[in-house]
Amino acid sequence: MIAVLKHELKSYFHSLTAYFFGAFLLIITGVGAMIYNINQTIANFEYVLYYGCLILIIIVPILTMRVVAEEKRQKTDQLLYALPISTTQVVVGKYLALLTIFLIPLLVVSIYPLIFAQYGDVYLPTSYGSIFAFFVMGAGLIAIGMFISSLTENQGIAAGISLAVILFNYFSVTISEYVSSTAFGSAITLAVIAVLFAFLIRYLTKNDNVAYTIGLALVAIIMMLFIIDSSMFEGLVPNIMAQLSLFERFYVFIDGIFDVTAIIYYLTVIVFFLFLTVQSLEKRRYN
């Protein structure tokens, strides 16, 4: 795993990806700090991270698009399968390399509150709590991008899909206001999601029986619950969309509240999508 980590870091720093990622993040946060903290004399550095969320929408797909897709395109992933390590170790090694690239500019950013504290009243716990949450949220988005990269051999497609997924997550709360909140509409939407989930399982496992069984079971459960008590589906889908937003949970930290449940949610997202990435690579390995 350490060998994979070193190899990935070497490849990223021998290309422009790591430098572009770090430079873009530092430039945007630096400009934000200059505008809000210096020009407008606002002591709260965490407000800069609020707009920093927009940075992640752009740079995370660029950072993750090649992590697996490029290996598959060049057929060098076969070399990884020949290594005396498990697929999980390969995925974790690649993921840690991405986190390292993300962490380096954040360490520079973390100096800003200390500098501003020399010239004003800066509440450091909120600032550093927000920076920590920003890192964990970014780690969750990177895990999502890494999984999407494992589904294709084309970097452009991986970046495009990742951008669309992250954008949807960013605007999910706004979109939820236009989604049907009726019980029937929520039930139909959940049934469609269950079918899509079955297709995802089929793609990852190549097992039709397992995928169709899970899909039919989920649809049957939804229908049964709807018949028993349809009121439980009232406004369910909009509420789920709001709860699944990684960005909405981050805004709580900016308000000065260290939400442990949000951290647990981010860690769950990381583990879940890394697991899916492992399954995606395992499918290719056995094929």
Side-chain angles (χ1 to χ4, degrees):
M1 185 176 71
I2 300 299
V4 175
L5 170 61
K6 291 180 178 179
H7 174 268
E8 289 297 311
L9 287 176
K10 183 178 179 180
S11 65
Y12 276 114
F13 283 104
H14 280 183
S15 66
L16 293 176
T17 304
Y19 302 102
F20 174 82
F21 181 90
F24 195 68
L25 182 59
L26 289 174
I27 289 172
I28 299 299
T29 52
V31 171
M34 183 180 65
I35 294 174
Y36 288 96
N37 298 120
I38 298 177
N39 289 350
Q40 298 185 16
T41 63
I42 297 175
N44 304 84
F45 175 75
E46 55 272 15
Y47 290 167
V48 176
L49 298 178
Y50 177 87
Y51 295 96
C53 293
L54 295 172
I55 307 172
L56 295 181
I57 298 175
I58 300 173
I59 59 180
V60 167
I62 295 175
L63 179 65
T64 60
M65 65 181 184
R66 64 171 293 274
V67 62
V68 182
E70 183 66 9
E71 297 271 10
K72 294 171 69 173
R73 187 183 68 83
Q74 296 182 353
K75 309 300 181 185
T76 53
D77 58 328
Q78 303 300 323
L79 298 176
L80 294 176
Y81 302 144
L83 295 175
I85 56 177
S86 66
T87 306
T88 301
Q89 290 175 307
V90 172
V91 170
V92 172
K94 287 177 170 290
Y95 181 68
L96 290 178
L98 293 173
L99 287 188
T100 302
I101 295 173
F102 181 41
L103 180 61
I104 291 174
L106 273 187
L107 290 177
V108 178
V109 170
S110 64
I111 302 175
Y112 294 173
L114 292 176
I115 297 175
F116 297 146
Q118 303 300 315
Y119 305 97
D121 187 14
V122 178
Y123 190 60
L124 294 179
T126 301
S127 297
Y128 284 104
S130 299
I131 292 175
F132 174 74
F134 187 80
F135 171 73
V136 182
M137 179 183 67
L141 294 174
I142 289 173
I144 295 173
M146 187 172 179
F147 167 64
I148 294 173
S149 179
S150 71
L151 300 178
T152 178
E153 297 180 1
N154 190 301
Q155 294 185 47
I157 293 177
I161 296 176
S162 296
L163 178 63
V165 170
I166 296 174
L167 269 176
F168 178 80
N169 189 268
Y170 182 81
F171 291 108
S172 61
V173 175
T174 303
I175 296 174
S176 67
E177 298 175 0
Y178 300 94
V179 175
S180 174
S181 59
T182 63
F184 181 75
S186 295
I188 293 298
T189 303
L190 290 176
V192 171
I193 293 174
V195 172
L196 294 176
F197 182 67
F199 277 113
L200 177 62
I201 293 176
R202 181 182 180 278
Y203 176 83
L204 293 177
T205 64
K206 293 297 182 182
N207 192 319
D208 293 345
N209 293 331
V210 172
Y212 295 151
T213 300
I214 293 176
L216 290 174
L218 290 174
V219 172
I221 291 173
I222 293 171
M223 293 177 61
M224 182 178 63
L225 292 175
F226 182 78
I227 294 173
I228 294 174
D229 184 11
S230 61
S231 62
M232 71 172 62
F233 289 88
E234 293 284 349
L236 181 60
V237 171
N239 185 53
I240 291 176
M241 291 177 63
Q243 292 298 320
L244 290 179
S245 173
L246 279 76
F247 296 93
E248 196 68 21
R249 292 176 180 270
F250 171 71
Y251 299 150
V252 177
F253 292 88
I254 295 178
D255 294 332
I257 301 173
F258 192 88
D259 189 359
V260 177
T261 59
I263 299 299
I264 295 174
Y265 174 66
Y266 291 146
L267 294 177
T268 302
V269 169
I270 292 170
V271 173
F272 177 69
F273 280 98
L274 288 183
F275 170 77
L276 291 181
T277 304
V278 170
Q279 298 308 308
S280 178
L281 293 183
E282 281 288 324
K283 179 206 68 173
R284 183 175 176 84
R285 181 179 213 165
Y286 290 121
N287 287 342

